[in-house]
């Protein structure tokens, strides 16, 4: 069966959190130590999304992907974190680990770019973990290019370098 996309509802957020944590562990375990990925729990990640959307819901958008009535992925976008009014920020695309390679990530990316265009943004940006080669290849196949900007963030106990990517919308 094909994947379907729809706007997330508050009722989805605990499941989104659980999926987000499973996705992080699967995607990052090859380059981050287990203790860095031990927290948050799936439930804590769900509470994180409930709180985050309370604060950002007015200008951010979460889309969920379902296959056979089961949540299999999500995207999250909003205004640029560097304040550029012409740029939208793709904050996240996460997939259930079993969903990789089935076109769901691509569908979520195309949907996010369409939503950015509809909001009047002409440029899209995102941050990706430097060592996440799979994600970097995914975005590069989608027309994204590294801008040369870097930052360091924390995932659990680990400091992780990130690269900024951008593309036209």
């Amino acid at each position: 069966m094909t994947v379907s996309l729809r706007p997330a509802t508050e009722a989805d957020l605990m499941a989104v959190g659980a999926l987000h944590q499973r996705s992080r562990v699967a995607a990052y375990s090859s380059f981050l130590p287990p203790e860095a990925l031990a927290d948050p729990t799936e439930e804590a990640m769900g509470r994180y999304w409930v709180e985050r959307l309370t604060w950002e819901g007015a200008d951010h958008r979460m889309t969920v992907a379902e296959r056979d009535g089961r949540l299999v992925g999500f995207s999250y976008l909003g205004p640029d974190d560097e304040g550029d009014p012409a740029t939208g920020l793709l904050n996240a695309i996460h997939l259930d680990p079993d969903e990789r390679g089935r076109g769901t990530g691509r569908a979520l990316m195309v949907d996010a770019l369409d939503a950015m265009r509809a909001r009047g943004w002409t440029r899209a940006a995102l941050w990706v973990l430097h060592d996440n080669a799979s994600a970097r290849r995914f975005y590069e196949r989608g027309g994204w290019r590294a801008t040369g900007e870097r930052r360091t963030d924390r995932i659990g106990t680990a400091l992780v370098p990130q690269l900024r990517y951008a593309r036209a919308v």
Side-chain angles (χ1 to χ4, degrees), residues 1-154:
M1 183 155 275
T2 61
V3 69
S4 62
L5 304 182
R6 64 171 175 77
T9 67
E10 188 175 336
D12 295 317
L13 298 180
M14 293 305 290
V16 164
L19 181 145
H20 187 183
Q21 181 60 6
R22 288 192 311 274
S23 173
R24 287 166 34 117
V25 169
Y28 307 159
S29 62
S30 66
F31 58 89
L32 288 179
E35 61 272 13
L37 297 170
D39 280 326
T41 64
E42 290 181 3
E43 183 177 333
M45 188 67 88
R47 289 191 309 269
Y48 161 82
W49 279 109
V50 169
E51 183 173 335
R52 185 167 180 182
L53 279 175
T54 297
W55 297 106
E56 295 180 342
D59 62 357
H60 284 66
R61 176 183 185 261
M62 179 181 278
T63 299
V64 295
E66 293 180 320
R67 185 181 301 279
D68 300 326
R70 187 175 71 88
L71 181 77
V72 295
F74 75 94
S75 65
Y76 190 65
L77 63 90
D80 182 40
D81 62 342
E82 295 185 355
D84 180 357
T87 299
L89 185 70
L90 180 56
N91 292 275
I93 291 180
H94 280 277
L95 301 177
D96 187 274
D98 294 335
E99 194 67 16
R100 291 181 70 184
R102 299 186 72 184
T104 303
R106 174 95 174 126
L108 285 164
M109 181 177 19
V110 168
D111 176 75
L113 292 168
D114 288 346
M116 289 180 185
R117 192 174 306 109
R119 290 181 176 205
W121 293 324
T122 58
R123 186 170 183 259
L126 60 84
W127 291 97
V128 64
L129 301 184
H130 178 275
D131 293 338
N132 192 345
S134 176
R136 290 176 63 186
R137 282 190 304 273
F138 168 76
Y139 290 118
E140 288 165 4
R141 282 192 308 270
W144 300 79
R145 298 292 172 252
T147 66
E149 296 169 84
R150 297 173 177 263
R151 72 179 184 188
T152 301
D153 203 355
R154 183 175 293 281

